[in-house]
Amino acid sequence: MRVKMRRRYRGGTRLSKREFVDQEWVCGMLLLQSVEGRLQLGLWHARPGDPVPPLGILWRPEIVACANDTISFAGAEHVSGRWCYQVWFCECHNLPSSLSLELLAHAAGEHHDPG
C-alpha cells in the first residue's frame, strides 16, 4: 500500500505538535512481512528488493489508530545503535473504503496493552 508517513518520536522522545507538523512527509510503499519469526513493517521507496535501502523499518508493529484514510502503527525502530519506541502516522488517500472499514474493525477488536 502506498502511503505518506510522519514519525511521532525522535530518538525515543515524543515530538511536540509543532515538530510533528513541520517535518517532511516520507512517501513510499508499506510492506508487512515476517523476518526470522518477527513481524517487520517496512517503508520502501518502490518495493522490497530494490537496491535503495528502506525509508524505515518498524519491528513488532501493531495498529494503534485507524480512521478513513489514516493509520497509525506503533513498534520499535533501531536508531543510532539503540532501540526506540516509535509511532508512524500514515496517510493513504487511495485506500478503498471497504479496506478502511475492515482495518478499523480489526483495530477496534485489538486489545492494546501499552505495558
Side-chain angles (χ1 to χ4, degrees), residues 73-93:
F73 300 95
E77 262 187 334
H78 197 245
V79 180
S80 301
R82 66 184 194 141
W83 290 97
C84 300
Y85 179 76
Q86 184 58 265
V87 174
W88 287 0
F89 175 80
C90 300
E91 285 188 2
C92 37
H93 294 290

Side-chain angles (χ1 to χ4, degrees), residues 38-113:
R38 294 185 205 130
L39 282 180
Q40 176 195 77
L41 183 65
L43 185 66
W44 304 84
H45 284 283
R47 65 183 182 274
D50 283 349
V52 180
L55 300 165
I57 298 288
L58 196 60
W59 291 93
R60 297 181 62 191
E62 57 185 39
I63 296 174
V64 292
C66 179
N68 297 325
D69 62 353
T70 62
I71 305 172
S72 291
F73 300 95
E77 262 187 334
H78 197 245
V79 180
S80 301
R82 66 184 194 141
W83 290 97
C84 300
Y85 179 76
Q86 184 58 265
V87 174
W88 287 0
F89 175 80
C90 300
E91 285 188 2
C92 37
H93 294 290
N94 58 350
L95 190 63
S97 60
S98 60
L99 179 56
S100 180
L101 292 173
E102 181 182 329
L103 288 170
L104 186 58
H106 178 69
E110 290 290 318
H111 299 289
H112 178 65
D113 179 15

